[in-house]
Amino acid sequence: MAFFGLPESQKYLEGGLHEDEDVAVYTWGEDGYDGLGDALVEGNDDFNDDTFGGSDPIGQDFDFQSGRKLEALERPAERTQTYQSDRDHHVPEQRLEPQKPQEQPKASTIESLWDNKSPFSVLPKFDSNRGAERPHLGSQGSAQSTDHGRTQSHPRIRTVEEIEAEMRAAAKQARSGDSPSLPRAYAQPSDGHRPQPTSLEELERQMKQHNLNQLPRGSSPLTGFPTHVAQHSFAHQRGSDGRSSSGSISEAQLLQLQRLQLQQQQQQQQEALQQQMYRQRQVELAEMQGQIPLDYQQQQQQALAQYQQSLLAQLKPDEFIQASSRSPQLSFDPEVQEAVRQKASRQIMEQEQLEGRRRRKAMKISRMSRYNDLMTQSDKDFITRIQVSQLVTADPYAEDFYAQVWSTLVRNRMGGGDTEGSVIKFGQNGGVGGGVPGQRGSGRRQNAIQRMEAQVERIISNARIREKEKGLHSIHSLQGALGKTSGRSYKAAPRQLLQVDAVAPSSPSLSHTQAQQHTREGSADFIAHTAKSSVHATTHQREPSPVEAEGHSDNKPLTRKQALMLIEGLYDLLLKIEHMRREQPAPEDLAGVDDWKNRRASLIDEVLHTLQTQVPLDACVPHPLISILAPAKGKRVIPRVLRHLDPRRQLGLLYAIVANFSQLDVVIDAHYLDTPQDSPERKEVERQTQLFITHVFQSYLPLLQDLTLQPIHEMTILLLERGNLVLLAKSRPGLHLLTFILSQVENFKQEIAEGSQRAGLPTSSELQSWQTLYDRLFHVLSSHLVDFFPSTRLAAAMPFGIDYYLDPNITDVLDLPVWRFLAAFAVHASMEQQQILVVRLREKVLDNVVSASKGTEIEYRRRLDNVDLFLHALGLDSSQINI
Amino acid sequence: MDGVSQGIQEPFDLVRLSLNERVFVKLRGDRQLTGVLHAYDGHMNLILSDVEETIMIVEPLDGASDVPSTVKVAKRNMEMLFVRGDGVILVSPPSRT
């Protein structure tokens, strides 16, 4: 890339290369070669041969692929010999002795490096074969390895004893007819099978011992194989037994002999398989130490293919036996034979399927467990315990709230019926080592999990004890005076070690989590201060914080920041209260219950303080409570607060809101909704209005429905005297409120008219006084009735007053609350008032009726319904209107 | 206003105040976002909803450099967004009218 800018190469790139141009052409070795390269004189070439080792035989110096134990290098010569001798796998060991003296002089140069005299020999030897020696098996393994066509050979370094043992084994092998190669198994007749069983059994026994010693786990999928094989072959044998039960004695004997032979063959195959697996195990070990990138699965496949072959071989001799057993009988049933053949083929198919399934399963398991034993189970437990200790919390509901709640929700949605509110415990996922569903492994994992849980319990209890101690000593001990060091494990991600109490003004920067703790306390203190200073008389005893804060002055409205701070404090208090609910002591513990109740009551008082309900209503505009209600968070907090308040206090809060209703942001900003075009403010106001209605109104519904006339009366008075009713009515929340008031009174009137004697019904005097109120309302509102319609306001906002472009769907929906309000309004109206209403709304009504007929069916119905709402209240109907 | 500063320990507390509120975020690469802040963390990763992203694209005109390059503005709207803290320059309340 760097050359692209060069003018020469650019020309080259642009394709204009001609022979006559001045481009550097390099011509080493060609005719035009100017010989400068040869003229170059370089030194330091003397040891090239040693470094690159061209002349000497390679030897096994850097060959780590054998997977065998590299013994002390007392026999350097053997390495070269075995390398050569492995090429022919028949009797490698016997050639050892004669070859030894020949090879020795050649090997001197390289081997001398690894001699005991050289400095390299003191280096730790690579030991890939952790375990006992298995000389004869090793030789068998190596024989088989070359048998299976491995590209690299695996010479081993052996001691004299090993060599002797190998020679002994080789002799045995020679006696047993060199049987490890599987495909030849069935072809051999049974000669010499008398000595076979003993040697084979011996070998098997030894192998099993070795297996038990050295393969602690992980080979269960593999060792499952021989058992499968055994079961299958035995089942097969039993089948063959059953089939050939009928026959002459000679036949039986023949059968028996052949069966024995089969057995032995199967045993051989099992053993061979075991050997294979063992070898694969060793290969695994070697792999682990990062030596061979062998294709493990390929090997297994090969092994499995051979196993299948052997299975078929079993079947064929079975058939063969049966055929041979039947041939002396002249009267053999062709059908029976046919059936037998079919059965055999079916069995072959089945076995192949089983084979395939087993193979796939084994591949999957091997894939998953390929790295399983890179860490021992104890390593995985160790890590899991560290993770657990980080995750564990003494109080899951406090610290891990959302996860707990979410899990509860999910559980309720799905099953239910589990332990209610059960805390998510670590360990259900099995920790780190999850993966292979081996039986031995999972048992161990369960132990680990149990141990972890025990540790978790211990950690929790320790933390509790420590907390208690801290609580006891915090006041009079100097502990923590200079800050305390973190108690968490230092193995975790780096955290701030120093925590300094947040109340001190000159606090250094804190870590985030600790800051949260402190700011919670800090904001609670702040709340206390503002509440205290803004209220002249306070009944609450709270310990004074070290730093006296001014608090906010009474006359200035809350800034947004202050409001947000108060809201944060509110949420903290709410969390505390809700958390207390979980700590509710048992009803038997009277003292505890009392104490709990007191604490809860004081928290609730604090909540009300924070909501600035004690602040006199006219302290400032907007009232602090209203300022708190301005952000969305403030609106959302109301339902949560209401849950903890008793009805009397709820009502008090409602009064406070209603008293300053016109100061609400949703009322003041409602005019934004009157502009037809979209704007971010409009969206925001819309959002806030929606929030207000859903959170504040809805949460008050249950209370509102049970109200008697008295509180309604009070509210109406508040609205009349303090509220800007017209402004209020132009906002949706205001309309909702008014509608509610009017409809409630109407309900009362209806009930009285129906003659019910319910307890909360108003008396006639109350109704009278209400009626006067209503008159006042009417007086205020009647002149502006038309403006209450959003559609009217929208139309007014449109340029040139064209309301043609207003989407009737939207406007009708918007108008609906207004019509409802008007209906409720009209219900209480006297005759004259009704007249006035009709006069004022005449045009609007007519407009709607007329346009309704032009619209679609749905629009038509909707508009008429809207109008009818109002007209019915007057005792009229839309059908009475003639166009 | 001491009372307020009392409650605020570190700059993140100011961000904490704006949770669930609409915020204005300035990002690297000449981008701005406004959205409702739902979550944040120490890296300044943010989770915003109802987001409008504004990208300023400055296209230098070829040729003479004294011809000013055009500035185009591209906007996108997304319902939910996770912002990697790496690219956040500032978070502030939206400018109020």
Side-chain angles (χ1 to χ4, degrees):
Chain A
M1 298 294 158
F3 303 109
F4 283 164
L6 299 175
E8 287 181 348
S9 46
Q10 208 167 32
K11 271 188 264 170
Y12 178 77
L13 286 170
E14 287 163 11
L17 176 62
H18 303 293
E19 289 303 310
D20 52 330
E21 290 202 358
D22 254 329
V23 180
V25 178
Y26 301 110
T27 56
W28 294 298
E30 287 182 22
D31 298 344
Y33 184 46
D34 55 1
L36 287 175
D38 292 335
L40 185 64
V41 174
E42 278 188 302
N44 301 326
D45 281 340
D46 298 331
F47 294 103
N48 273 357
D49 282 338
D50 269 344
T51 312
F52 302 111
S55 47
D56 292 336
I58 296 173
Q60 298 82 38
D61 287 329
F62 299 104
D63 190 352
F64 299 121
Q65 293 167 1
S66 62
R68 306 280 181 269
K69 186 175 182 185
L70 296 179
E71 275 295 297
L73 303 169
E74 297 137 19
R75 303 280 182 150
E78 277 156 20
R79 281 179 263 123
T80 53
Q81 288 152 30
T82 52
Y83 169 75
Q84 288 176 6
S85 61
D86 265 345
R87 289 235 173 87
D88 38 25
H89 63 278
H90 283 299
V91 193
E93 297 77 12
Q94 288 163 2
R95 284 214 234 138
L96 203 68
E97 308 275 43
Q99 282 184 357
K100 198 167 42 160
Q102 294 171 18
E103 294 302 320
Q104 216 150 17
K106 269 195 200 169
S108 60
T109 47
I110 297 179
E111 322 305 347
S112 61
L113 289 175
W114 295 99
D115 272 351
N116 288 338
K117 310 180 216 103
S118 88
F120 295 110
S121 64
V122 297
L123 292 173
K125 303 281 187 309
F126 175 73
D127 185 19
S128 64
N129 200 5
R130 304 211 183 128
E133 314 163 9
R134 273 162 289 178
H136 51 283
L137 293 174
S139 73
Q140 282 178 358
S142 75
Q144 284 172 344
S145 72
T146 50
D147 198 19
H148 296 306
R150 277 213 217 152
T151 51
Q152 294 121 356
S153 60
H154 306 277
R156 292 158 306 288
I157 317 297
R158 295 163 295 217
T159 56
V160 180
E161 299 84 57
E162 277 190 77
I163 297 166
E164 287 176 353
E166 280 168 359
M167 286 173 62
R168 242 181 283 126
K172 279 190 208 159
Q173 287 295 319
R175 263 182 287 132
S176 65
D178 201 6
S179 58
S181 50
L182 295 173
R184 295 187 245 147
Y186 67 93
Q188 283 181 2
S190 51
D191 37 59
H193 66 259
R194 268 297 141 222
Q196 256 188 31
T198 49
S199 65
L200 282 173
E201 283 159 26
E202 235 184 74
L203 287 174
E204 264 191 74
R205 230 180 301 124
Q206 285 169 348
M207 259 195 43
K208 282 202 186 100
Q209 281 180 0
H210 287 304
N211 267 349
L212 286 174
N213 289 342
Q214 296 178 29
L215 309 177
R217 67 192 162 279
S219 57
S220 46
L222 296 175
T223 51
F225 264 90
T227 51
H228 278 289
V229 174
Q231 287 165 10
H232 214 78
S233 53
F234 283 130
H236 212 66
Q237 281 179 0
R238 262 179 255 122
S240 63
D241 280 341
R243 254 177 276 129
S244 50
S245 54
S246 60
S248 60
I249 300 175
S250 60
E251 279 183 22
Q253 278 180 352
L254 188 65
L255 273 173
Q256 263 195 349
L257 279 177
Q258 284 165 343
R259 215 172 302 132
L260 243 182
Q261 183 190 14
L262 253 187
Q263 269 186 12
Q264 285 161 2
Q265 285 167 7
Q266 281 152 8
Q267 280 181 4
Q268 283 175 23
Q269 286 151 19
Q270 284 175 40
E271 181 212 344
L273 266 175
Q274 282 186 344
Q275 288 172 16
Q276 273 190 10
M277 280 164 237
Y278 158 74
R279 200 179 11 87
Q280 284 162 356
R281 193 91 197 85
Q282 284 186 326
V283 160
E284 266 186 81
L285 288 171
E287 259 190 67
M288 270 163 36
Q289 280 126 17
Q291 304 313 312
I292 323 178
L294 264 187
D295 196 0
Y296 189 48
Q297 291 172 3
Q298 199 185 43
Q299 281 229 321
Q300 262 194 327
Q301 275 176 357
Q302 286 175 357
L304 292 167
Q306 282 171 359
Y307 170 65
Q308 193 179 24
Q309 256 183 347
S310 72
L311 215 53
L312 286 173
Q314 282 178 22
L315 290 170
K316 286 201 199 120
D318 216 18
E319 256 193 14
F320 179 74
I321 285 170
Q322 285 161 26
S324 63
S325 71
R326 267 162 187 76
S327 52
Q329 277 181 345
L330 289 171
S331 59
F332 68 86
D333 252 336
E335 294 157 7
V336 171
Q337 210 179 35
E338 189 58 41
V340 158
R341 219 174 289 137
Q342 278 177 7
K343 196 167 179 188
S345 58
R346 228 181 302 131
Q347 280 178 336
I348 293 175
M349 292 302 297
E350 281 172 26
Q351 280 177 345
E352 277 176 0
Q353 283 172 11
L354 283 173
E355 228 355 87
R357 254 177 261 140
R358 243 178 270 142
R359 205 181 310 151
R360 265 174 269 135
K361 209 169 145 210
M363 283 218 294
K364 216 194 295 180
I365 291 174
S366 75
R367 228 183 303 128
M368 284 197 291
S369 62
R370 187 192 273 264
Y371 302 104
N372 244 11
D373 296 299
L374 291 179
M375 297 172 84
T376 60
Q377 194 59 26
S378 64
D379 286 335
K380 291 181 219 163
D381 289 348
F382 177 62
I383 288 182
T384 315
R385 262 181 282 136
I386 294 176
Q387 292 176 333
V388 167
S389 71
Q390 297 302 320
L391 291 174
V392 81
T393 52
D395 191 1
Y397 273 113
E399 293 190 33
D400 209 6
F401 179 72
Y402 292 106
Q404 298 298 332
V405 170
W406 181 76
S407 68
T408 327
L409 286 175
V410 164
R411 235 178 292 131
N412 290 341
R413 218 180 302 149
M414 310 267 250
D418 290 308
T419 54
E420 262 304 318
S422 62
V423 173
I424 302 178
K425 277 198 270 271
F426 189 78
Q428 287 168 357
N429 312 324
V432 169
V436 181
Q439 285 130 346
R440 269 187 295 174
S442 69
R444 223 163 278 241
R445 208 171 300 122
Q446 281 165 13
N447 283 340
I449 292 174
Q450 285 163 13
R451 264 189 290 141
M452 266 190 287
E453 285 177 354
Q455 188 178 26
V456 162
E457 295 297 324
R458 253 182 286 135
I459 292 174
I460 291 175
S461 54
N462 284 346
R464 278 214 197 99
I465 293 172
R466 238 179 279 127
E467 288 246 3
K468 269 188 228 143
E469 280 178 14
K470 277 193 212 147
L472 287 174
H473 296 296
S474 62
I475 301 175
H476 55 263
S477 85
L478 288 176
Q479 199 174 43
L482 299 173
K484 50 190 191 312
T485 52
S486 165
R488 287 176 78 111
S489 156
Y490 295 103
K491 303 171 207 160
R495 292 184 186 275
Q496 287 271 353
L497 293 186
L498 206 55
Q499 301 174 19
V500 179
D501 208 359
V503 185
S506 57
S507 55
S509 65
L510 305 167
S511 76
H512 191 65
T513 48
Q514 285 129 11
Q516 276 182 354
Q517 302 281 359
H518 296 292
T519 46
R520 245 179 239 135
E521 270 90 56
S523 61
D525 286 336
F526 159 64
I527 304 306
H529 286 305
T530 50
K532 240 200 282 187
S533 52
S534 60
V535 177
H536 300 294
T538 171
T539 53
H540 304 275
Q541 304 299 324
R542 219 166 277 115
E543 57 172 344
S545 74
V547 177
E548 279 300 317
E550 260 179 45
H552 87 108
S553 52
D554 294 353
N555 300 324
K556 297 211 198 76
L558 290 180
T559 65
R560 190 167 181 84
K561 217 161 52 157
Q562 283 173 314
L564 287 173
M565 284 303 306
L566 288 172
I567 294 173
E568 289 293 320
L570 261 178
Y571 273 108
D572 290 334
L573 289 166
L574 278 173
L575 281 174
K576 269 194 225 167
I577 295 177
E578 281 167 13
H579 188 69
M580 276 191 69
R581 193 178 63 85
R582 275 176 230 116
E583 290 175 359
Q584 193 168 7
E588 302 92 44
D589 178 17
L590 285 173
V593 170
D594 267 343
D595 174 57
W596 182 83
K597 279 190 189 158
N598 288 340
R599 274 187 290 137
R600 194 161 175 275
S602 69
L603 278 176
I604 294 176
D605 287 339
E606 221 178 306
V607 165
L608 284 175
H609 255 278
T610 315
L611 278 172
Q612 313 289 307
T613 47
Q614 266 83 341
V615 175
L617 291 176
D618 291 318
C620 62
V621 178
H623 189 267
L625 175 59
I626 307 295
S627 305
I628 288 177
L629 281 177
K633 273 190 281 196
K635 297 186 175 82
R636 273 191 241 257
V637 87
I638 295 288
R640 290 178 73 172
V641 169
L642 285 180
R643 238 176 273 151
H644 302 288
L645 296 176
D646 57 343
R648 188 183 65 82
R649 285 177 150 165
Q650 285 182 359
L651 196 56
L653 187 60
L654 183 60
Y655 280 168
I657 297 175
V658 168
N660 286 315
F661 207 84
S662 332
Q663 298 165 0
L664 277 171
D665 60 324
V666 288
V667 173
I668 292 181
D669 294 333
H671 65 96
Y672 279 110
L673 293 174
D674 297 333
T675 53
Q677 62 264 22
D678 246 356
S679 66
E681 294 92 3
R682 190 181 198 278
K683 272 187 268 186
E684 185 63 24
V685 172
E686 177 65 38
R687 177 175 161 247
Q688 296 284 354
T689 316
Q690 200 57 37
L691 277 171
F692 186 84
I693 293 175
T694 46
H695 287 272
V696 180
F697 269 142
Q698 303 276 44
S699 54
Y700 261 113
L701 267 179
L703 177 74
L704 294 176
Q705 278 160 1
D706 293 334
L707 282 183
T708 62
L709 183 58
Q710 176 65 20
I712 297 180
H713 188 101
E714 306 254 335
M715 283 200 285
T716 322
I717 293 179
L718 281 171
L719 282 174
L720 273 170
E721 290 178 0
R722 301 176 53 85
N724 184 344
L725 275 169
V726 181
L727 182 66
L728 224 141
K730 286 189 187 169
S731 71
R732 278 224 309 271
L735 264 183
H736 277 272
L737 182 63
L738 288 170
T739 317
F740 162 74
I741 290 175
L742 293 168
S743 54
Q744 276 297 95
V745 179
E746 190 205 327
N747 284 345
F748 289 145
K749 284 191 186 172
Q750 267 190 353
E751 282 191 31
I752 290 177
E754 286 163 11
S756 87
Q757 296 296 318
R758 202 164 55 86
L761 282 181
T763 64
S764 48
S765 58
E766 282 176 341
L767 282 173
Q768 275 293 330
S769 48
W770 157 257
Q771 200 61 31
T772 46
L773 277 181
Y774 174 80
D775 290 336
R776 285 169 65 186
L777 260 178
F778 188 89
H779 181 77
V780 173
L781 292 173
S782 56
S783 40
H784 304 270
L785 287 175
V786 186
D787 286 333
F788 295 159
F789 286 95
S791 49
T792 320
R793 295 201 296 267
L794 280 170
M798 292 282 282
F800 310 119
I802 301 173
D803 56 355
Y804 185 73
Y805 297 108
L806 290 175
D807 186 0
N809 288 323
I810 298 177
T811 51
D812 285 344
V813 171
L814 286 175
D815 282 349
L816 182 57
V818 187
W819 288 113
R820 268 204 222 116
F821 159 71
L822 288 173
F825 201 59
V827 161
H828 305 282
S830 62
M831 284 314 295
E832 313 89 49
Q833 288 164 333
Q834 284 183 1
Q835 294 254 342
I836 301 172
L837 282 177
V838 171
V839 164
R840 295 269 159 75
L841 291 168
R842 168 197 189 74
E843 219 183 273
K844 192 77 192 171
V845 171
L846 283 175
D847 240 355
N848 266 10
V849 174
V850 165
S851 58
S853 51
K854 292 192 206 133
T856 64
E857 184 65 34
I858 304 172
E859 286 173 22
Y860 176 74
R861 267 268 55 95
R862 217 189 303 141
R863 290 207 168 184
L864 280 186
D865 285 343
N866 284 356
V867 173
D868 273 338
L869 271 176
F870 171 58
L871 291 176
H872 287 170
L874 292 174
L876 306 169
D877 189 62
S878 52
S879 51
Q880 296 172 348
I881 299 175
N882 303 322
I883 303 166
Chain B
M1 289 291 193
D2 275 341
V4 180
S5 50
Q6 183 73 356
I8 298 175
Q9 297 296 318
E10 53 168 18
F12 269 125
D13 288 343
L14 285 172
V15 183
R16 190 156 64 96
L17 286 186
S18 312
L19 276 176
N20 256 326
E21 306 282 321
R22 197 150 262 278
V23 292
F24 167 81
V25 182
K26 190 163 167 187
L27 301 176
R28 290 170 63 174
D30 300 322
R31 289 161 196 256
Q32 299 165 358
L33 299 172
T34 60
V36 177
L37 177 66
H38 285 283
Y40 69 97
D41 72 352
H43 296 290
M44 294 287 278
N45 295 333
L46 306 170
I47 295 188
L48 303 167
S49 76
D50 196 16
V51 182
E52 191 206 24
E53 179 190 9
T54 308
I55 311 168
M56 312 282 187
I57 307 169
V58 179
E59 290 172 14
L61 299 171
D62 290 318
S65 53
D66 38 309
V67 179
S69 34
T70 53
V71 175
K72 281 198 292 203
V73 168
K75 288 201 187 222
R76 290 205 287 175
N77 282 306
M78 286 151 285
E79 267 200 42
M80 273 305 247
L81 190 62
F82 175 91
V83 183
R84 185 178 155 89
D86 191 82
V88 172
I89 295 179
L90 58 88
V91 176
S92 87
S95 48
R96 282 170 211 297
T97 50

